[in-house]
């Protein structure tokens, strides 16, 4: 699965499992901002979303928009805020996958055809 898709799915999962649970326990209805609007007021103390962000522990500097709409870098900040160690754990799994892909070899064999001295190429994926 492409890294950006995995990030999106993980962010949606954390939203459902962690953030929504926190909001429900505190009686908060999550009303996300538009990305452009939130980027302009995110650092303001009296922004429309400041109280909600503070109540649910939304990460500083991450716009208060639905995680699906966050840029990938902000998704990482969001995931780390609610699941500390997420980035390191998933970077290690990415390294493992990349190592496995590197070890996958393609062999090229030339097989001689006894009847007409022609050569065929056979690809084997290990």
């Amino acid at each position: 699965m492409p890294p950006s898709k995995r990030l999106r799915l993980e962010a949606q999962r954390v939203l459902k499992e962690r953030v929504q649970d926190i909001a429900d326990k505190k009686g908060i209805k999550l009303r996300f901002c538009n990305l452009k609007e939130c980027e302009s007021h995110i650092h303001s103390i009296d922004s429309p979303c400041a109280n909600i962000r503070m109540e649910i522990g939304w990460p500083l500097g991450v716009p208060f928009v639905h995680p699906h709409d966050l840029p990938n870098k902000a998704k990482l900040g969001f995931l780390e805020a609610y699941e500390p160690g997420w980035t390191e754990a998933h970077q290690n799994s990415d390294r493992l996958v990349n190592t496995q892909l590197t070890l996958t070899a393609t062999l090229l064999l030339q097989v001689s055809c006894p009847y007409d001295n022609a050569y065929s190429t056979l690809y084997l994926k290990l």
Side-chain angles (χ1 to χ4, degrees):
M1 177 179 326
S4 59
K5 184 173 183 177
R6 186 179 66 229
L7 270 178
R8 181 173 46 85
L9 293 175
E10 283 292 302
Q12 288 175 331
R13 179 189 60 78
V14 168
L15 174 67
K16 289 178 185 174
E17 293 177 6
R18 303 263 195 264
V19 180
Q20 191 62 54
D21 187 50
I22 293 168
D24 290 346
K25 286 179 181 174
K26 294 185 176 202
I28 299 170
K29 179 159 176 59
L30 295 177
R31 292 191 182 124
F32 293 105
C33 297
N34 172 298
L35 182 61
K36 295 278 186 207
E37 292 169 4
C38 199
E39 285 177 338
S40 67
H41 69 240
I42 191 169
H43 299 292
S44 172
I45 295 172
D46 61 345
S47 72
C49 59
N51 287 337
I52 295 173
R53 287 193 332 247
M54 194 168 43
E55 290 276 330
I56 63 173
W58 196 264
L60 294 175
V62 174
F64 189 65
V65 299
H66 192 284
H68 184 278
D69 298 325
L70 286 172
N72 286 343
K73 213 173 209 182
K75 281 179 189 153
L76 287 172
F78 169 79
L79 288 167
E80 274 296 321
Y82 291 102
E83 291 192 347
W86 187 93
T87 304
E88 185 179 330
H90 285 80
Q91 282 179 342
N92 287 338
S93 68
D94 285 347
R95 284 187 202 120
L96 179 62
V97 168
N98 288 337
T99 301
Q100 289 172 343
L101 290 174
T102 303
L103 293 176
T104 302
T106 303
L107 296 178
L108 172 61
L109 301 175
Q110 283 195 333
V111 179
S112 174
C113 181
Y115 300 109
D116 57 4
N117 285 335
Y119 288 95
S120 298
T121 304
L122 175 67
Y123 293 93
L124 297 175
K125 187 110 175 167
L126 300 178

